[in-house]
Amino acid sequence: MAFNTGLSGLRAASVDLEVTGNNIANASTVGFKGSRVQFGDLYASGFLSSGTNPIGDGVRVQDVAQSFGQGNISFTDNGLDMAISGDGFFILNNGGEIRYSRAGQFTIDKNGYVINNQSMRVQGYTADDDGNLSGIRGDLQIQTDNLAPRRTTNLISDLNLDSRESVLERRIRDFDPLTIAALRGEGVTFSYSDGTGDYTVPPLSATASASEAAAAINAAPGVTATATTTAVLDGGLTDNFISTAGNFRLEISVNGSAPIPLDLQGVSSLDELASAINATSDNAISASVVDHDNDPATAGRLRVIHSGGEPLEIAFGDAPAGDPLPPATAYEGEVFVTTNRNVAQVATDPASSGTNFETAFNDTPFTVTNEFNPIDQRTYNHATSTTIFDSLGNDHKLTQFFVKEPSPGNGVGQSQWSIYLQIDGELVGGTDQTPYTAIFDQDGELESINGDPNGEIIVTDWVPKDPSGQPNGADGPPADPGSVVSPIPEPAVSSAFILSLGDTSQYGATFGVNDQRQNGYTTGRLSGLDVSDQGVIFARYTNGQSKSLGQVALAAFNNTDGLSPVGDTTWVETFESGQPVIGAPDTGTLGSIEASSVEESNVDLSAELVNLIIAQRNYQANAKTIETSDSVTQTIINLR
């Protein structure tokens, strides 16, 4: 009996040595899970009773259980190496047989499949051509083809326009001079495009001067009026006449007043006469000789100007003081009128006797100064550029120009900007004819662009061109521009795209681009792979884009200890383990993925060496039991 007991102990100790030795041998095996031997004693027993004072029959190995505790995670230089932090197993397809493993040393085979060192394919959730995970489980395959280009169909610009900017462009009507004779008795009513109420200038009196007419007209909003009286003296007033006259005299009266004092002593020419007039105390009066105007009809004549438009009476001759001069010549002024862009219409007052002012307004076109010019930065307030792409992946530069405009209405509560768009030096979006109009409210928030509250601009007239200015073969404008809707459905079939400025603001702060994103890109080659914590495999391309190629799937079991090891650091499902619960990493009870890492063996080498000593001691002790039993048996045999 003692022989069998010792022999069972030898068998148990031998198994313990084997298990411990296997743990030590795999101390550096990635994903390996250490095992431990579980022993049980043996007793002989009858059907109804175990007898009195039963003696054990030895020991037996009940089970060799594996420990699925977490191993240390170490980093590697392989982007496809993965470690599971937490519960779960990688799912491997071994030629149709499904295995499970914690060893995440993966690479790619010649067909692009993600495999382990034994060429088992890793299972996961596949992605479509746009990188959307399908939820369908299969063998993960990495597409190494070039990433096809994507045309730009949407551009989002988040900007702040500086509300402190001034209006750069001026639009005015600059009338030809209007004589006071043409304006007397005439009244006009001004209408405005910005919502300002009409303004009426009453009919001018029959004796009104040009100065009075200018003052009355100048009171109208958006209207600037000035008056000037110009007298060009003829009738023999020449250098010779002045120099030969014994008593040369000249008198200038302003609006019927007494002649202004003139010191003509020593004056012998027109130039000296002009200097004498300019030296008077009346700063509104000035004189010059017309010789320098290159006008043969008036060359050599004296020109006298009253800058306020008051009527002048001028007399001259050769007469002693106290003698009358020849009758004075009267000169009346002219009115110079300028209206700005807000003056939309001029109508003659019903009580008027003429329509000269209305006719002059209608016959005078707008004169534009500092008009928008994309190559002259003085004509726009702000500009920003970004790159967009056509259907062939060619890049083009889109520039947005912003021009401050006069506020609509009475200027309270709203601000207005014009928007021009240019691609590769050519204006698009119809802005070569008419810019887009952006309206902002009193809080600086965008109200609308051309009436669209979403702030979207749909560009439908862009023809992609090469550097020489010729169409480059990419998709062009749609046949029916009115059919383009927002958002543009995929796949796009034209060069039309949407510029969204809905987040644009207009605050009293420096112009700035907060965000600018577009959805196009050029073609790209695969440059690397990245793996997220959720096990999503991303491809990185040389064009700066990335796309998900698939997601690793993990499996968990209700009874992990029931899995059966089949070598190559893999396990298979058994009846005791139950069916796997499969899902994405970092969901439910499944662990997360550590990229460029592997899980080391969970074997504690120090503990295993101690176990090795214990197993050796047990083996030796059981051998001693057999040796002692042999000695006792030999003693009995030797009895004679």
Side-chain angles (χ1 to χ4, degrees), residues 178-194:
L178 297 171
T179 64
I180 183 58
L183 294 176
R184 288 185 180 125
E186 184 171 336
V188 293
T189 298
F190 296 92
S191 300
Y192 300 90
S193 61
D194 61 358

Side-chain angles (χ1 to χ4, degrees), residues 45 68 254 366 381 423:
S45 60
F68 286 95
V254 178
F366 270 125
N381 301 88
I423 299 180

